[in-house]
Amino acid sequence: MRYRQFGRTGWSVSEIGFGAWQIGGTWGKVDDAASIRTLLHAFERGINFVDTAELYGAGHSESVIGEALRQWKGGKIYVATKAQPTVWPNPDDPAPRVRGRFPEWHLRANVEASIRRLGVERLDLFQLHSWGPMGHHELDWLETLNDLRVEGKIDQIGVSLRDNHPEEGVALARLGLVASEQVIFNMFEQPPRDALLPAAKASGTAIIARVPLDSGSLVGSWGEDSYATFEPGSQPHQMFRGDRFAETLRRVAVLKADVAPFYSQLAEAAMRYVLAHDAVSVLIPGMKSSEEVDMNVRYSDGAAFPAVLMDLMPRHAWVRNFYR
């Protein structure tokens, strides 16, 4: 496992982290004992960064991680969690309010609940879920979180940007108001490369790249019948509804053709594409088994992403919003 600096925090984090949405239960049925074994296996393989949220199973993901932390006897594991706003922004609103959406009572209640579920004295990284573009000057949220830092309840502050809007974090990165920003970044969702990654690198803001495998499509194993296997009501069943699944398969097939001369597996190309950007501190694929951990960890070897293939990537850019 290779490690990277987490922005200007002084942390050294595994460049491949553990995305813990899937172990919360909203991606289908989960076995908590199996999830704990998977987490412990990830820690043994050198993963020392886990990303979760209150939203992931109404705190269930946090509770499972907390049990894994209690059983772990090794080195430091950094855990990042999130608080959702009191009102989710409309995905069609270009400038949703931030002021008042993360009030003091709400943030304090979330911090205390996350501390309890994780079984820790202080949260390593506390992020605001679905932070909006008005938030760099509507700063009531930052006042509360700074107080919580002084009180020793949280160490670092971060935000998780709205899906498909990496440009909303550029001003925040330039100002250096938070330690980290989390953003969708993968072979389809490429816009963070334009302005956010350069701004973050210049200010020492850590970048957490989420869904590097595009919620499963970039693993490359889906077929025409795969959607029927998704549990009704689960996150992937909702995301790829209607004609979205067929369109995704079509685009994956085209991408595979470009990747084939360089990689035998699309998943390897997808992971290495994100790792190729040095502004990224950590990418956080979801993992539900030890086998998936091993698959992801083996890409942390420093191998370069082919320049010829990188030049082909813009033709595969595909920005969409699953929540519309």
Side-chain angles (χ1 to χ4, degrees):
M1 176 62 70
R2 293 164 60 90
Y3 295 83
R4 301 186 181 193
Q5 289 299 302
F6 194 74
R8 56 184 181 272
T9 64
W11 300 354
S12 180
V13 301
S14 53
E15 62 183 11
I16 296 174
F18 193 108
W21 192 359
Q22 292 184 351
I23 67 173
T26 53
W27 286 79
K29 293 179 181 179
V30 289
D31 179 330
D32 291 345
S35 295
I36 292 167
R37 289 194 298 271
T38 301
L39 282 160
L40 293 173
H41 182 72
F43 301 161
E44 290 166 358
R45 293 299 310 272
I47 289 177
N48 72 349
F49 186 92
V50 180
D51 178 81
T52 184
E54 186 276 335
L55 177 70
Y56 302 165
H60 188 72
S61 174
E62 289 180 322
S63 297
V64 172
I65 293 165
E67 181 56 35
L69 293 176
R70 281 186 283 273
Q71 295 184 27
W72 175 241
K73 305 303 181 185
K76 170 67 179 177
I77 304 297
Y78 294 96
V79 179
T81 191
K82 311 180 195 72
Q84 60 192 26
T86 53
V87 178
W88 285 97
N90 186 323
D92 294 317
D93 187 346
R97 288 184 55 190
V98 175
R99 191 183 305 280
R101 299 299 168 88
F102 296 97
E104 181 176 6
W105 63 267
H106 176 68
L107 292 177
R108 286 187 174 276
N110 271 264
V111 165
E112 294 294 344
S114 291
I115 286 175
R116 183 178 65 254
R117 288 189 289 260
L118 289 167
V120 297
E121 294 183 357
R122 179 177 69 172
L123 301 176
D124 295 316
L125 177 64
F126 190 71
Q127 306 163 95
L128 301 188
H129 225 150
S130 201
W131 185 88
M134 305 295 288
H136 67 276
H137 59 85
E138 296 179 349
L139 293 171
D140 54 332
W141 59 275
L142 187 57
E143 293 175 0
T144 300
L145 295 182
N146 279 338
D147 284 344
L148 286 163
R149 291 189 73 192
V150 171
E151 294 166 20
K153 297 296 180 69
I154 61 176
D155 186 355
Q156 300 293 333
I157 300 167
V159 303
S160 183
L161 300 177
R162 295 198 299 165
D163 286 7
N164 320 107
H165 290 287
E167 74 283 354
E168 295 181 350
V170 174
L172 186 69
R174 288 174 178 163
L175 292 170
L177 291 180
V178 295
S180 67
E181 297 189 32
Q182 185 174 142
V183 64
I184 291 179
F185 183 41
N186 58 50
M187 295 175 99
F188 286 145
E189 303 270 3
Q190 300 178 27
R193 296 178 63 184
D194 298 336
L196 179 61
L197 296 190
K201 186 175 181 179
S203 66
T205 301
I207 290 292
I208 303 170
R210 69 179 184 265
V211 291
L213 296 171
D214 192 49
S215 300
S217 80
L218 293 176
V219 174
S221 60
W222 287 354
E224 293 182 1
D225 298 329
S226 295
Y227 184 79
T229 69
F230 296 164
E231 184 178 321
S234 68
Q235 198 66 33
H237 191 270
Q238 172 69 11
M239 284 181 169
F240 295 99
R241 66 192 183 277
D243 60 357
R244 298 177 180 187
F245 186 78
E247 175 66 7
T248 300
L249 281 189
R250 187 189 70 77
R251 289 177 179 268
V252 165
V254 176
L255 181 57
K256 280 182 175 180
D258 275 352
V259 165
F262 305 93
Y263 298 106
S264 62
Q265 300 294 326
L266 180 59
E268 178 174 3
M271 293 287 286
R272 293 193 185 281
Y273 170 78
V274 181
L275 287 170
H277 296 81
D278 61 3
V280 172
S281 294
V282 57
L283 56 154
I284 50 170
M287 294 177 268
K288 293 180 69 175
S289 68
S290 296
E291 292 75 18
E292 290 182 359
V293 171
D294 291 340
M295 178 188 78
N296 290 321
V297 165
R298 69 171 179 260
Y299 304 136
S300 179
D301 59 8
F305 191 85
V308 174
L309 183 56
M310 184 66 78
D311 289 341
L312 297 177
M313 285 299 98
R315 72 172 71 174
H316 298 288
W318 180 33
V319 176
R320 72 277 200 209
N321 191 327
F322 285 119
Y323 300 99
R324 283 203 174 105

